[in-house]
Structure formats: structure tokens, C-alpha cells
Amino acid sequence: MYISPLLHPAPAHIVYFKAFLNRIATSFQALPWHSPVLPVSAGSGSFVDNAFIRNFCIIAHIDHGKSTLADRFLELTGTVSKEKMQAQVLDDMDLERERGITIKSHPIRMQYKANDGNTYQFNLIDTPGHVDFSYEVSRSLAACEGAILVVDASQGIEAQTLTNIFLALENDLTIIPVLNKVDLPSAHPEEVRHQVCELLGVEPEGVLSCSAKTGEGVAPILERVLAEVPPPVGSSTQPLKSLIFDSKYDSFRGAVAYVRVFEGTMRKGDQIKFFSTGINYEVDEIGYFKMGRVPVDALYAGEVGYMIANIRTVSDIKTGDTLTTRLKGCEVPVAGYREVKPMVFSGIYPVDKADYEDLRTALEKLQLNDSSISYEPETSSALGFGFRAGFLGLLHMEIVQERLDREFNVNIITTVPNVKYRLRLKTGEEIFIESPAKMPQQQEVEFISEPIAKLQIITPTEYVGQIMKLCEEKRGKMGTMEYLETTRVCLHYRIPLSEIIIDFFDRLKSCTRGYASMDYEFDCYEREHLVKLDILINGQPVDAFSSIVHRDNTYHFGQGITSKLKELIPRQQYEVAIQAAIGNKVIARSTVKAFRKDVTSKCYGGDITRKRKLLEKQKEGKKRMKQVGNIEIPQEAFLAVLSRE
């Protein structure tokens, strides 16, 4: 017979013992050495049916409000309380907050209680918006089934908007268009809505409007995600197939892989294998993101989370790679993986030569957090020991320089950015060079091929003439011109990558008053009439100033550099000759005049030969000084070469 415990309460000593155990557990968790574990919400970490999961991301042009909209989602779902909320809460780097851009992808899990009364698991990925991080965006899109396309109602569709749309369509994502910043006085939502409808082929009612800053119209977006974004497919009983869409380095735990599980189940203690390298590890911890890492026992098919396996070698984790189990794993990886190839190269040298080892250590630590950086040791006759580093683009290069200064307190000098060229030697061999200093003698080279980029510019129609003039000046070849509407046009160009990595964007913004936007991607290598231009100071080449330029532009470019260096190199006791040369042929020259000391001032009359004797003695001294003297080139001189005009 069943007896209710309410009728027969437990003895008093058992009640006291339970209370004592509870007090011990509470005290144990409060100890300073106990690592806190974030609270797990109901249902988190346990199996969730795929019908109650939605994976989506936010894509947009820079400064169209991605991170602000993500903040409102976190507030609406109760993931972050209003007391802890701050602007761009997912952007955890100071650099991201100051510049107002997203540099790294930021996944987070939200529990959303829908209007139908059910609670759904929403996995949101906030992606970068700049062209330099387009591969990272494409892998984040591959981890989702849907994308919220945010368009600024005051600026309309811009170049990166189109690129992100094409990336989303390539991954067969459901696109939910949203107009943001409709509360601004400068907004013209009806015009922008018409642009979006024409681009995506949707009805005007299908384009939502919101203000991410005030929260107006944000709730219907989540309901639209629930209704239109399909739930993930895949069975948790199949062999494990998981995509690494990003990674981050933890100095205590090693590399942290951000993963999306497509098939199977990932559990703690599993023996896993990386498809691209074949290296095996044992899973030490898995979990999901909720304003921090929340460990769980397993990640099931359709879920997004992280994996830690005490990985200390950053090259073992590659964005876009596939994870599976070592035994009985999947046979086909997730499609779309490719190696991240740097597009812009620059030399990095310490200002103080004694900081070389500090710079090496800083680059090693930074590479653990940003695997897209590549570097190798390099020596310059002018700058000493340093590194030749590869970046995804100019913004990526700028971010890396800023992080070296802020996070590692290393003062550096960077050389002129350049791209990777393909050389065909007269022996028939083909080689690639990233630095002009490594280029063979001109007589050994049959021809040089340079990388060509496909450029896309969206601008108001009144600036088309200035843009065409700028592109022709940069050796661009026009492709097509499409009118998005009567006042906006999209221009397509094929242009050498070396011509757009220095000052092209600044000049584009200047000649269009900031209204134009651009996007580019690598296309192919093409043969061109290129030569190596050396800068000689007192007859000695300074390899930091060397560059590979088109033969038609050598005189203009050489004259510009020598004129700039003449203003920046300090005067000496002797003349300093600054020359631009192709091989042994000097094509431009500037001279820094010498200080003149009046050695004849003590001669009061007398024979003229006395003055001549003093002048000849001074001349011999200056000649000897010129032979043994070294010119100290200031850092401003290296920075000045970066802005070609």
C-alpha cells in the first residue's frame, strides 16, 4: 500500500542533515578558487527536437545596425538583463566598440517563447560586415539556414549588401529583408523598400521595418524567423559531421572551435579528427554560448556551440574545416572549405631593434586568436630584422597593427603594402613573390603577372564621371553599368589589386563626398609590363621603399616618392642624393642640400689661395663623411610612401 510522505514526514535528524549538506554546497561554490559555471536554462544541454531549433545570422553593410539589432534580440528573449545591457554587447573587443565594426563572428544561444506558447532554441551568429572578412562571413552563413538582411533606410543598398546577398543565395539560405533606422529624419524607407523588392523579387509587405536603437518593430522579426527559416535537418544517430565556422584562442584551454553540428552527436571524451589535416584529439569540453561559455554533456544535430580539446597548435584548426569522430566518422566533409589566402603583404619591423623577440612573441600570440595572419622572418638593410606578414586586406592589416600596439605594447614600422606576383623565369620556372626585395634580376625574368580584382562600386549618378576617371587612372577596365534606380548606379570594373590596396578607397570617398561604396574580390592573374622600382639613398638601395609598378607609371611614381623623401629626410653636413632607378637606369632624383659651415670666416684679407686651401680641406672632409656616414630615415618617411598621389 502506498503511504503519502505528507502524512509521514521525515525524521528531524534527516531534515537537519539535508540542510547541513545544502550549506556546505553553497559555501563550496562561493570559494574564490571555484570556477563559476553559468546557469543552465531549462532544457539546455538536453536533446531538443529539430523542429524547435532555428539557426540564423545577421548580414549587412558596415554601420547598418547589425550589432544593435542583435542587442535588441538579446533583450527581447531575456538572454541579457537590462541592467547588464550595453551597446554592441556581443562585440567584446575595445577596438570593435571604438570603430563601430564587427571583426569576429559572435554566436549566442537564445530561448525564445513564441506566440504559439512553445519555447524555441534560437542560435544567432553576428557576422562581420567588411569585405576583408568575407570568407569568415561565408562560413558563418554555411552554419545557418536563414539570414536577416539589414538595410539602412537612410543609405539604401550598398556594395557589401549585394555581396552578402550573393553569399546567402549560394548557401541556399532563407533571406528575411529588414529596413533599419526608419526613425531617422534622413530615412526614406519607401525608396529603399522598392530597391530591396526589385533586388530580391519580393512583395513590399515582405520587407519588415524597425528601429534597432529604440526597439520598434523588432519583435515581428523573430516571429518571421520562426515562420520562414526552416528547422535544421540531420539525425543525431548518424556519424558525426560538424563544421568549424570560427575559432578563438584561450591562453588556459588552448584553441576554442566554434562548431555547427550537421549530423550525429558530439560528446565529451570523443576521439575526433580534423578532415583537412587528419590530426586526432580528445574532446575535453563542449558547450554553447550564452554571454560566456556554458558547458554541456553533448551537442546534437542542428545545434551550434563550441569544442575544446587542448589544441595548442593554431594551424591544426582551420576555419571551414570539418570535424568527425576518429572511428566510424563521416566520409564526406561539409562543402565549401578552402585555405584562407592573404591578399596584401607588408613588412613589420620593431622601431627599437632590441624588441625583435617581443615582436615575434606578439605575432605568435596574435596568430592564435586570428589564424588568417601569416608571417615569416625577413631582413632589411635599412630596418634590420623583422617579419613579412600577409593580411586579408588593408582593414585587416590596420586592425593587426592596432592590436600589436594595444594588446602587446610593441612599436612597429610597416613597409609599403604590396600583393603577391607570379613570375615566369626564362628557365621556364614559375615562382610567386610577396616582397619586391625577393625579385630576381630583370634579365632573368621573362614576364610578370599581377593579381586582378573584380571591383563593384555603387554610387549616385552625379559622381559617375569622377569615378570613371579615377578607375582609368588606376588602370581599371570597365565592365558593365547597371542602374539600380534613376539616381543610383552600380559600376563593374576589372582592376589590378595593387592599385586599390593603397589609397583607392580614400580617393573614392573624397571624389563622391562619401556617398559611394565599394566591394572587391580576387579574379585571376594577368600578364602586364611590370618592373621593379628601387629607391637609392646616397647610392645605396633601401629595400623598404622598393616596389613593383607598371612601366608606364614608373616616372610619375618615382618622382613622387623622391620628392616626399626630400622633405622628410633631415639635412646632413653633406648632400644626400635620393634616386629612383629601374635596374641601373636612374629615372628621377631629388637632393637634400647640405648644411654649409663658413670656414673662411676667420680669413681677414690675405691671398686667395688661403681661402681655397680651407675650402678644399672642407670638401675632402665632407667626401670622407659621405663615404662612412649613415642616413637615419625617420618613421614618417615610411608612412608617407603609403599615400600615393
Side-chain angles (χ1 to χ4, degrees):
M1 183 177 67
Y2 173 74
I3 301 177
S4 170
L6 297 176
L7 300 177
H8 295 271
H13 66 277
I14 295 179
V15 175
Y16 293 148
F17 183 66
K18 287 183 177 180
F20 174 69
L21 289 178
N22 287 334
R23 286 199 299 272
I24 290 178
T26 304
S27 302
F28 179 77
Q29 291 183 355
L31 289 174
W33 46 266
H34 179 262
S35 58
V37 177
L38 297 176
V40 180
S41 58
S44 299
S46 57
F47 177 77
V48 178
D49 191 279
N50 283 0
F52 294 93
I53 299 176
R54 298 293 185 274
N55 300 319
F56 65 98
C57 59
I58 305 176
I59 56 176
H61 191 80
I62 296 175
D63 199 31
H64 278 206
K66 295 186 304 296
S67 298
T68 309
L69 184 60
D71 292 347
R72 300 292 81 77
F73 287 162
L74 298 178
E75 276 186 355
L76 195 62
T77 57
T79 307
V80 179
S81 62
K82 290 189 176 181
E83 294 78 18
K84 295 183 179 179
M85 178 55 70
Q86 57 180 336
Q88 294 175 256
V89 67
L90 290 181
D91 294 342
D92 52 7
M93 290 170 56
D94 292 338
L95 206 54
E96 291 179 313
R97 296 180 183 280
E98 289 174 15
R99 290 175 173 257
I101 60 174
T102 301
I103 298 170
K104 294 285 289 179
S105 295
H106 299 280
I108 191 165
R109 179 180 293 187
M110 305 178 291
Q111 300 293 330
Y112 175 62
K113 188 167 185 179
N115 293 339
D116 60 7
N118 294 318
T119 300
Y120 292 83
Q121 181 190 117
F122 278 7
N123 293 306
L124 165 68
I125 301 176
D126 185 20
T127 60
H130 197 272
V131 61
D132 284 6
F133 310 105
S134 59
Y135 178 67
E136 188 173 320
V137 174
S138 73
R139 295 300 84 205
S140 299
L141 293 177
C144 303
E145 282 78 33
I148 297 174
L149 175 68
V150 179
V151 181
D152 191 329
S154 62
Q155 299 183 42
I157 292 175
E158 301 202 48
Q160 193 63 30
T161 312
L162 293 177
T163 301
N164 286 328
I165 289 174
F166 296 145
L167 286 174
L169 293 175
E170 284 177 14
N171 288 277
D172 295 327
L173 300 191
T174 300
I175 299 177
I176 300 174
V178 175
L179 299 187
N180 190 22
K181 305 184 184 181
V182 294
D183 57 325
L184 292 180
S186 59
H188 38 92
E190 294 309 317
E191 293 180 24
V192 178
R193 189 187 305 273
H194 180 66
Q195 294 176 19
V196 175
C197 290
E198 284 193 346
L199 183 64
L200 296 178
V202 297
E203 297 297 324
E205 308 82 54
V207 182
L208 300 175
S209 300
C210 78
S211 171
K213 190 172 184 179
T214 63
E216 175 192 351
V218 173
I221 300 175
L222 290 178
E223 284 295 323
R224 179 73 73 84
V225 169
L226 184 60
E228 296 188 7
V229 174
V233 295
S235 171
S236 298
T237 60
Q238 295 294 319
L240 178 65
K241 180 193 286 188
S242 180
L243 169 72
I244 301 174
F245 63 88
D246 203 354
S247 64
K248 188 176 181 180
Y249 192 80
D250 186 309
S251 55
F252 298 102
R253 307 296 303 276
V256 180
Y258 296 6
V259 297
R260 155 71 196 274
V261 182
F262 282 93
E263 300 277 357
T265 304
M266 184 183 294
R267 302 181 187 277
K268 181 179 178 180
D270 283 351
Q271 295 290 329
I272 56 157
K273 180 182 74 171
F274 293 94
F275 246 90
S276 65
T277 59
I279 298 176
N280 302 322
Y281 283 98
E282 181 179 337
V283 177
D284 186 47
E285 178 182 312
I286 56 175
Y288 63 89
F289 295 95
K290 187 178 180 182
M291 302 312 298
R293 296 198 296 264
V294 183
V296 293
D297 293 330
L299 285 176
Y300 300 95
E303 293 189 322
V304 175
Y306 69 90
M307 183 277 300
I308 299 176
N310 196 27
I311 303 169
R312 298 289 171 177
T313 307
V314 69
S315 58
D316 291 350
I317 278 199
K318 299 180 185 296
T319 301
D321 199 2
T322 301
L323 271 179
T324 187
T325 49
R326 184 170 63 88
L327 300 175
K328 298 181 180 179
C330 66
E331 297 180 357
V332 181
V334 180
Y337 169 72
R338 58 182 172 86
E339 291 279 351
V340 181
K341 294 182 180 179
M343 299 301 296
V344 177
F345 297 85
S346 175
I348 298 179
Y349 298 86
V351 173
D352 186 352
K353 293 181 174 59
D355 294 338
Y356 173 74
E357 288 300 326
D358 293 339
L359 177 58
R360 179 195 292 275
T361 304
L363 283 170
E364 287 175 354
K365 291 181 178 178
L366 190 58
Q367 192 186 43
L368 296 174
N369 279 311
D370 186 356
S371 58
S372 56
I373 304 171
S374 61
Y375 65 92
E376 59 182 21
E378 183 180 60
T379 306
S380 166
S381 58
L383 301 174
F385 292 100
F387 298 92
R388 167 66 46 172
F391 309 94
L392 301 178
L394 271 189
L395 176 68
H396 187 216
M397 173 180 161
E398 195 177 334
I399 294 296
V400 168
Q401 292 174 8
E402 192 76 22
R403 292 183 70 182
L404 285 172
D405 181 33
R406 291 191 182 197
E407 299 176 21
F408 304 100
N409 198 26
V410 179
N411 293 324
I412 59 172
I413 295 175
T414 56
T415 61
V416 184
N418 47 57
V419 297
K420 182 184 286 189
Y421 294 92
R422 186 171 68 191
L423 277 64
R424 184 177 182 86
L425 304 180
K426 290 185 177 177
T427 59
E429 181 186 0
E430 282 195 353
I431 61 172
F432 288 89
I433 60 165
E434 304 94 12
S435 169
K438 296 180 180 178
M439 185 170 172
Q441 295 295 326
Q442 195 73 31
Q443 57 268 23
E444 299 177 17
V445 180
E446 185 176 338
F447 63 84
I448 305 174
S449 301
E450 64 179 343
I452 303 296
K454 289 191 290 188
L455 179 65
Q456 181 176 270
I457 302 173
I458 295 181
T459 176
T461 51
E462 60 262 32
Y463 303 114
V464 170
Q466 293 96 310
I467 293 175
M468 293 175 73
K469 182 180 177 182
L470 173 63
C471 291
E472 287 175 9
E473 187 181 317
K474 295 291 186 178
R475 298 191 287 129
K477 297 177 182 177
M478 188 172 181
T480 59
M481 183 167 64
E482 304 166 4
Y483 278 86
L484 303 177
E485 53 182 346
T486 55
T487 58
R488 286 164 66 85
V489 65
C490 180
L491 302 171
H492 296 272
Y493 272 88
R494 296 184 77 254
I495 191 169
L497 185 61
S498 59
E499 297 286 353
I500 62 176
I501 64 169
I502 303 292
D503 63 345
F504 184 87
F505 186 67
D506 293 338
R507 292 183 61 184
L508 177 68
K509 286 293 183 182
S510 176
C511 72
T512 62
R513 301 183 188 176
Y515 285 108
S517 63
M518 62 167 274
D519 180 34
Y520 68 91
E521 62 177 4
F522 171 74
D523 186 19
C524 63
Y525 277 91
E526 280 189 3
R527 178 176 175 175
E528 281 290 350
H529 298 291
L530 303 171
V531 292
K532 179 185 177 185
L533 183 71
D534 289 315
I535 302 298
L536 313 177
I537 297 184
N538 270 354
Q540 297 298 319
V542 181
D543 48 9
F545 292 140
S546 297
S547 56
I548 299 175
V549 295
H550 196 273
R551 186 176 289 276
D552 296 342
N553 300 335
T554 50
Y555 174 75
H556 175 73
F557 183 58
Q559 189 65 45
I561 291 185
T562 54
S563 299
K564 281 184 182 179
L565 294 179
K566 177 184 176 181
E567 300 170 3
L568 295 168
I569 291 179
R571 293 173 69 185
Q572 309 292 324
Q573 293 288 344
Y574 50 89
E575 283 188 353
V576 178
I578 306 169
Q579 300 168 309
I582 301 172
N584 296 324
K585 181 182 178 182
V586 175
I587 62 170
R589 170 178 172 137
S590 295
T591 305
V592 180
K593 295 298 182 182
F595 286 121
R596 184 179 183 276
K597 181 180 179 182
D598 190 1
V599 293
T600 61
S601 60
K602 56 187 178 182
C603 296
Y604 299 100
D607 191 3
I608 188 66
T609 55
R610 213 173 142 210
K611 292 184 178 181
R612 285 178 181 165
K613 183 179 177 182
L614 291 172
L615 290 172
E616 287 295 328
K617 186 178 180 181
Q618 183 190 44
K619 186 177 179 181
E620 287 296 325
K622 286 191 175 185
K623 184 178 179 181
R624 187 167 58 253
M625 190 186 296
K626 188 174 183 178
Q627 290 173 347
V628 300
N630 290 323
I631 308 296
E632 184 174 343
I633 303 173
Q635 185 176 357
E636 293 79 15
F638 295 98
L639 299 177
V641 180
L642 298 182
S643 57
R644 302 183 194 170
E645 293 182 3

